[in-house]
Amino acid sequence: MTLYTSRQIGLNGRHGGMIAPVIAVGGCDLHGPQSALSPAGVGAEQISSLFWWMAGGAVLIWAVVIGIALYATLARPRKKHDVQGARWLIIGGGIVFPTVVLTILLSYGLMLIPKLRSTGNVDLHVAVSGEMWWWRVRYTSPAGEPVELANEIRLPVGKRVSLSLTSPDVIHSFWVPSLSGKVDMIPGRENTLILEPTKPGTYRGVCAEYCGASHAFMAFRVVVMEPQDFEAWLTHQAQPAVSSGSPSARQGEQAFLVNGCGACHTIRGTAADGRVGPDLTHVGSRLSLGAGMLPNDAQTFARWIGHTQQIKPEVRMPSFGMLPEEQLTALATYLSGLK
Amino acid sequence: MTEPDANRDDPETPAARWHSLWLLTLGPAFWTMHFLASYITAAIWCAKFAGRAGSLETVRWLIGGYTAVALVGICLVSWFGYRQHKLGQATLPHDADTAGDRHRFLGFSTLLLCGLSFVATVYIALTVVFIGTCE
Ligand SMILES: [Cu+2]
């Protein structure tokens, strides 16, 4: 499956903000970045083995039932079966067998829960808040300072991570199928999800609870890294923004502050300290833009800033298409350069 | 003619109480009450007393008690259902258009519903067998 769905975006507002998503669906790709069947975390491994056992059992039961049906209708046994035997077949196959199987499955499922949910031995705490329609992510830096990031989660491989999940607006649900099951983010409540990634790689997470117009565009990447790479990454993310300082980037920084972007966005190290939208301090280093919607390059920055409303229905950021082309380009250069 | 069995119901003569459906509902009612009692007890315990990672030890005993009561109740109801099903000489499938067969049919249905309620009640109780904390 391709990470970025290819979609044509009506670039002139005349199409009434219509977007025509041409989504390249990868069919049944078991090894995609968002597949519960190619697990890369302890939770997902247990879920997928449970799935395969249940699928196998279901196929077996189906075959037996269909086999008996075919026997009864096609084979037409010459000798009638006696009523007593048939009754025991019904009691055995229709009551005892399913009860035993369901009891085993239920006990197995219940047995998994305490270990999966235990908050003991946690190496890392991350707070994630689902907001219409993006993800606010809070780490604690190696120096003990809170670091706010957005729309991307990086985790050290082999470590147990506790995510505290909240929402300030409506119910969302946090789901990274490759790593674990999903947990709802409920306003006024703090839910916990334990992740234990086992394979380095880049996975896709989504909101799994309908939350409004752009629910389907509320995704994020999870990058599982070697622990020392993770430390380096987090240390870097904790730093203030570093701009390239080129004339265009400097013009972009000016445009950012002058046009009021800073009322909603923070760029650490500048005067912009808004808290409404995602932190943009290192936005250029992320793998995607607009909560998993667009690839991250200067071109898509310009498109996002100029056509926000057309790209993402009802998004809580105004389009800045009225800005002169040159300012949009400068903003794009500046922001994409914030690595 | 003497009436040696004056107190016994004549299997084919309808009595008013034979039309009652109440017995049928009792098995699932025990199941429902057990579910609600268990759920509410655990919810209040975790929210008001034990806290998020608290132990369910006390709740386990309480739910064990509820389960014993519910299962004994369900067994009693199924015994009544069984007797109703066995009334007279008729055998399954109790599908004649007579008051007696309707009576037996309701008894047999009660018995089956009690079986379902029994298993469901055990399944609810299994939760606290395997899960020991409020997490
Ligand atoms: Cu959603």
Side-chain angles (χ1 to χ4, degrees), chain B residues 31 34 115-125:
Chain B
W31 166 16
H34 173 264
L116 176 69
S117 307
F118 190 96
V119 173
T121 304
V122 170
Y123 280 7
I124 292 165

Side-chain angles (χ1 to χ4, degrees), chain A residues 33-70:
Chain A
Q34 190 188 321
S35 168
L37 297 182
S38 62
V42 171
E45 278 162 13
Q46 280 167 351
I47 290 169
S48 96
S49 70
L50 185 60
F51 169 79
W52 286 116
W53 276 104
M54 287 184 68
V59 168
L60 198 71
I61 291 171
W62 179 83
V64 170
V65 170
I66 296 297
I68 293 175
L70 290 179

Side-chain angles (χ1 to χ4, degrees), chain A residues 5 88 146 231 245 262 313 325:
Chain A
T5 55
W88 281 115
E231 289 294 323
E325 196 63 39

Side-chain angles (χ1 to χ4, degrees), chain B residues 10-62:
Chain B
D10 174 359
E12 304 310 328
T13 311
R17 64 183 173 79
W18 284 18
H19 298 297
S20 168
L21 291 173
W22 281 110
L23 193 66
L24 199 61
T25 65
L26 285 186
F30 273 110
W31 166 16
T32 312
M33 295 315 292
H34 173 264
F35 174 76
L36 285 176
S38 305
Y39 201 96
I40 292 171
T41 305
I44 293 178
W45 173 258
C46 288
K48 298 284 180 199
F49 301 105
R52 281 221 127 169
S55 160
L56 279 179
E57 205 53 39
T58 317
V59 172
R60 276 182 163 169
W61 288 108
L62 278 172

Side-chain angles (χ1 to χ4, degrees), chain A residues 243-261:
Chain A
S243 169
S244 73
S246 71
S248 177
R250 247 179 292 142
Q251 194 196 344
E253 184 172 348
Q254 276 310 309
F256 192 88
L257 297 171
V258 168
N259 290 305
C261 312

Side-chain angles (χ1 to χ4, degrees), chain A residues 123-124 126 139 153-161 195-200 222-231 233-234:
Chain A
D123 302 295
L124 177 70
V126 183
Y139 283 86
I153 295 175
R154 300 207 175 206
L155 302 172
V157 67
K159 302 275 169 150
R160 240 174 121 74
V161 185
L195 293 182
E196 200 172 334
T198 51
K199 277 187 218 147
V222 180
V223 183
V224 176
M225 321 168 82
E226 293 300 334
Q228 65 271 26
D229 297 344
F230 169 78
E231 289 294 323
W233 170 83
L234 186 54

Side-chain angles (χ1 to χ4, degrees), chain A residues 19 123 204 239 248:
Chain A
I19 55 170
D123 302 295
R204 191 169 184 274
Q239 307 290 316
S248 177

